[in-house]
Amino acid sequence: MDRIIAGIDVSKDRLDVCILPADERFAANNDEAGLDVLCQRLAASHVDLVCFEASGGVERAAVASVAAAGLTPVVVNARQVADYGRALGLRAKTDALDAWKIARFAQAISPQARPLPDAEARELGDLVARRRQLVRMRASERQRLQGVRDPLLVGSLKRVIATLSQEISALDDALDDRIRKSPIWRARESLLTSVPGVGSATARTLIAELPELGSLDRREIASLVGLAPHTRQSGRWRGKSFIGGGRTTVRTAIYVAALVASRFNPPLKAVYRRLLEAGKPKLVALVAVARRLIVILNAVVRDQKPWAPA
């Protein structure tokens, strides 16, 4: 018997739903009342899987509501759904059509449902994301300061930088408080930071945005983060492999940690130097270090043992 799959296109104010194979379609408001209606309709249709596109966080409330109702939600990559629609020859774009494409994509691919972060983890993720935004803003202001000579502008930029630094410090205190209150998070942060190159900021990003860490194998975790190389070849032609997709914020955090690990983590430093001596570009070598680093962190969390050099 075919699985009953719902595809949901989420916008700020509206939820468009398509349920296959019955091709049942309806819409609901994206508010508390609408989410109640959505869950009731999905339960009445005995839906096996509810598929959402990743929409920059707009889908979070709907995903959480569906999970709380005892249904199985899964969030898929929006670009993959778009590519699937183009493969079907679909050029038109409406919310109702997008919901149908999401349902068809889930029906064809059968994406694996992964554990969702709980409410506390989502709050931690919001704090980590806000800290990341402020750090970027401060870096931009510092960059502007390099090219300014006018004393008035210099004073303005320094005041903004000081304010941003205060806000970042306040968020760091809030993050410390959240981590200390959770024995599980405290233990996980301790395990992650036992690996040379991984600091508190990277560990907290992983705790908040990669709940699957420790539950997947090495290939799956590298692919989920976007550090698994994609091979390109056809006949005798061999193109360069590349990475892409995955969770950008997690991949960025791991890449920054790899920069440090390539200097201060002896085994990874050896890998980095060996690749450079073999003629690999620095970026390729750093990506290889980042991939090994996420595999190490996955094993550390899985085994619940601090890092130790082999």
Side-chain angles (χ1 to χ4, degrees):
M1 183 177 179
D2 291 337
R3 297 177 72 196
I4 301 175
I5 295 176
I8 302 181
D9 181 73
V10 182
S11 62
K12 183 178 179 180
D13 302 314
R14 178 183 168 101
L15 304 163
D16 284 272
V17 185
C18 176
I19 300 176
L20 296 178
D23 200 21
E24 176 186 350
R25 305 189 188 201
F26 64 92
N29 292 330
N30 192 3
D31 55 24
E32 289 189 16
L35 291 173
D36 288 341
V37 171
L38 170 70
C39 293
Q40 291 171 9
R41 293 283 297 269
L42 294 176
S45 298
H46 305 289
V47 171
D48 297 305
L49 184 70
V50 185
C51 189
F52 298 85
E53 272 185 339
S55 305
V58 179
E59 77 286 353
R60 282 184 183 175
V63 173
S65 297
V66 166
L71 300 165
T72 305
V74 64
V75 181
V76 297
N77 188 297
R79 186 178 64 182
Q80 292 178 328
V81 176
D83 290 343
Y84 182 77
R86 283 192 289 271
L88 294 177
L90 300 174
R91 296 184 178 273
K93 178 173 174 57
T94 66
D95 292 339
L97 181 59
D98 285 347
W100 179 83
K101 282 192 292 186
I102 295 168
R104 277 291 305 269
F105 175 82
Q107 195 177 48
I109 304 301
S110 296
Q112 180 182 0
R114 295 192 174 96
L116 298 173
D118 56 26
E120 289 184 356
R122 287 196 298 273
E123 291 175 3
L124 181 69
D126 290 339
L127 289 175
V128 169
R130 181 55 182 164
R131 185 187 185 280
R132 186 166 55 245
Q133 293 166 359
L134 293 177
V135 168
R136 288 174 180 170
M137 291 166 64
R138 184 175 63 179
S140 297
E141 292 296 275
R142 284 175 172 170
Q143 186 68 28
R144 294 186 185 99
L145 185 61
Q146 300 302 313
V148 171
R149 295 292 179 266
D150 189 309
L152 183 63
L153 295 178
V154 169
S156 174
L157 287 165
K158 286 185 175 180
R159 286 192 297 274
V160 172
I161 291 170
T163 300
L164 291 172
S165 296
Q166 290 175 358
E167 290 296 319
I168 292 168
S169 179
L171 281 176
D172 284 337
D173 291 341
L175 286 166
D176 286 338
D177 185 60
R178 296 290 177 93
I179 294 292
R180 282 197 301 268
K181 287 181 178 178
S182 171
I184 295 175
W185 290 352
R186 191 166 62 246
R188 180 164 290 199
E189 183 183 36
S190 179
L191 286 170
L192 294 173
T193 54
S194 71
V195 181
V198 178
S200 294
T202 299
R204 290 167 184 177
T205 299
L206 295 175
I207 292 170
E209 303 189 25
L210 195 64
E212 299 89 351
L213 192 66
S215 63
L216 304 176
D217 65 31
R218 57 187 299 157
R219 293 182 180 85
E220 290 172 333
I221 198 67
S223 179
L224 183 60
V225 175
L227 288 170
H230 302 283
T231 303
R232 296 188 299 162
Q233 65 181 51
S234 178
R236 296 183 179 179
W237 177 78
R238 297 291 185 274
K240 292 183 178 180
S241 298
F242 63 95
I243 62 171
R247 298 183 186 173
T248 305
T249 54
V250 176
R251 185 171 65 250
T252 301
I254 291 296
Y255 182 78
V256 171
L259 287 170
V260 181
S262 66
R263 296 179 59 193
F264 300 107
N265 186 315
L268 294 180
K269 181 178 180 180
V271 170
Y272 181 67
R273 287 187 171 180
R274 186 170 68 249
L275 291 171
L276 292 182
E277 290 169 358
K280 299 294 184 182
K282 287 185 177 180
L283 181 59
V284 172
L286 279 173
V287 169
V289 170
R291 185 166 58 251
R292 293 199 179 204
L293 181 58
I294 192 62
V295 170
I296 289 170
L297 293 170
N298 187 61
V300 163
V301 175
R302 180 195 64 213
D303 299 338
Q304 292 294 295
K305 293 180 179 179
W307 179 85

